[in-house]
């Protein structure tokens, strides 16, 4: 019997539950959190009362209103979600150390010693639920899964909602997994699903029957072997990605934008993306380079060095400085930015010039964007640039990001 080493917590209908916790008038009602209150967007999150009518993430608002008469639409708010995110982490951590914060509403913990006894695991789960109720609020419910590794614990978590508790052991693993669809496995999306089907795997039972070699061939990489081990219940720690040495983006300007002003706007967009990747990688940068190619094959490169940071606002200011020093009279054709000289954020030395709350706000924004599409939340100043993107939601103001707004004016 493999030990039960992983416990996974997933908040139910997180954004909608935050709204119900904040606003008593929404409690017990069908609520849909939307980017903005118009029929042309899609639901970001639905309360359980709304889910009963089939309203869920991704449903068009117009359809959702037809499916669920009386549906209350609430415009998504960044502030409360970040606040509850931190409260939830603290509440879980008061019961058992948090091993990894996997997303804005998912937390993984490792079970050790006697915690690996199923009855003890169940007790811990009940205590986590009680801690959420007492420390965060009774409208924030979670599902908890326990298994021999984090992938199976997350799958267990998804099996019973809301307020669920599920254990996947060696002796019920095959049965539990066989009831799922391929895409219920985290990491198998529509593309991988298609790939598996093309190779003759259409059900979970068929996937579970493949050996390690076959799984490797199905995935076309060692990731297949990793999935094989995980689905067989073997312990695997979180994979530490190889830290990047630098992160860069570049963009060729369309002919109509070959001027200093548009080049700067493109530079901002590139840096914004690079800073998100920097934070995701858990790194801090100590240099920023700006390269501009001009008509006539001329090239100008500038670099700025500073105390380690992952703060978008600070980096944008540095970029403005570099731009101000670049030749204004020439026509720019291509803009490239590179963040470099990384150190891991664990080695970060605190400096008086930084704002820790703002760093946390950026991280929370990254999480929401990761989950709901890259451009879900961004500074108001980027709206002009991104407004054609289909998934975008314009948050005119994000707490902590005001300086970015002012920068571009
Ligand atoms: Mg959730």
């Amino acid at each position: 019997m493999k030990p039960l080493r992983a416990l996974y917590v997933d908040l139910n209908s997180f954004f909608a539950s935050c709204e119900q916790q904040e606003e008593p008038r929404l409690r017990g009602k069908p609520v849909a959190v939307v980017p903005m209150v118009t029929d042309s967007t899609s639901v970001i999150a639905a309360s359980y009362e709304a889910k009963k009518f089939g309203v869920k993430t991704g449903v068009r608002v117009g359809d959702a209103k037809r499916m669920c008469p009386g549906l209350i639409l609430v415009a998504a708010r960044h502030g409360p979600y970040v606040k509850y995110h931190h409260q939830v982490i603290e509440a879980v951590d008061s019961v058992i150390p948090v091993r990894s914060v996997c997303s804005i509403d998912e937390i993984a913990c490792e079970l050790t010693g006697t915690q690996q006894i199923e009855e003890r695991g169940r007790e811990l789960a009940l205590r986590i639920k009680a801690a959420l109720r007492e420390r965060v609020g009774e409208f924030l419910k979670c599902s908890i899964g326990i298994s021999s590794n984090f992938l199976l614990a997350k799958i267990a978590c998804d099996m019973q909602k809301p307020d669920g508790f599920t254990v996947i052991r060696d002796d019920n693993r095959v049965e539990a997994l066989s009831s799922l669809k391929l895409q219920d496995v985290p990491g198998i999306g529509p593309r991988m699903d298609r790939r598996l089907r093309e190779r003759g795997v259409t059900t979970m039972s068929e996937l579970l029957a493949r050996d390690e070699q076959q799984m490797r061939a199905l995935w076309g990489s060692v990731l297949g072997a990793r999935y094989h081990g995980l689905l067989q219940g073997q312990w695997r720690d979180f994979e530490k990605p190889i830290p990047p040495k630098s992160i860069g983006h570049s963009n060729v300007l369309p002919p109509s934008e070959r001027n200093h002003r548009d080049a700067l706007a493109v530079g901002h967009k590139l840096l914004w993306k690079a800073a998100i990747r920097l934070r995701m990688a858990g790194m801090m940068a100590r240099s920023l380079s700006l390269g501009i190619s001009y008509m006539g094959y001329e090239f100008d490169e500038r670099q700025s060095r500073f105390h380690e940071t992952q703060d978008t606002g600070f980096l944008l200011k540095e970029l403005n400085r570099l731009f101000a020093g670049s030749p204004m009279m020439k026509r720019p054709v291509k803009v490239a930015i590179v963040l470099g000289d990384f150190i891991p954020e664990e080695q970060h030395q605190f400096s008086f010039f930084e704002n820790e709350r703002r760093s946390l706000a950026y991280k929370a924004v990254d999480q929401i964007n990761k989950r709901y599409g890259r451009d879900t939340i961004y500074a108001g100043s980027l709206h002009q640039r991104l407004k054609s993107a289909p998934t975008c939601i314009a948050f005119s103001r994000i707490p902590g990001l005001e300086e970015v707004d002012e920068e571009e004016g």
Side-chain angles (χ1 to χ4, degrees), residues 10-11 105 371:
D10 185 349
L11 276 286
D105 69 339
R371 189 141 147 205

Side-chain angles (χ1 to χ4, degrees), residues 261-312:
R261 212 181 115 254
D262 284 324
L264 177 61
V266 168
H268 273 216
K269 182 182 151 191
L270 298 176
L271 183 55
W272 186 271
K273 271 165 51 178
I276 290 172
R277 286 178 55 203
L278 180 73
R279 291 188 291 270
M280 290 285 185
M283 304 302 272
M284 302 188 98
R286 289 179 295 186
S287 73
L288 167 67
S289 306
L290 167 68
I292 307 179
S293 308
Y294 294 94
M295 297 289 272
Y297 302 103
E298 281 182 76
F299 183 69
D300 183 79
E301 189 174 16
R302 278 148 211 280
Q303 194 184 54
S304 162
R305 305 189 134 269
F306 32 77
H307 187 75
E308 65 260 17
T309 186
Q310 48 181 211
D311 183 324
T312 307

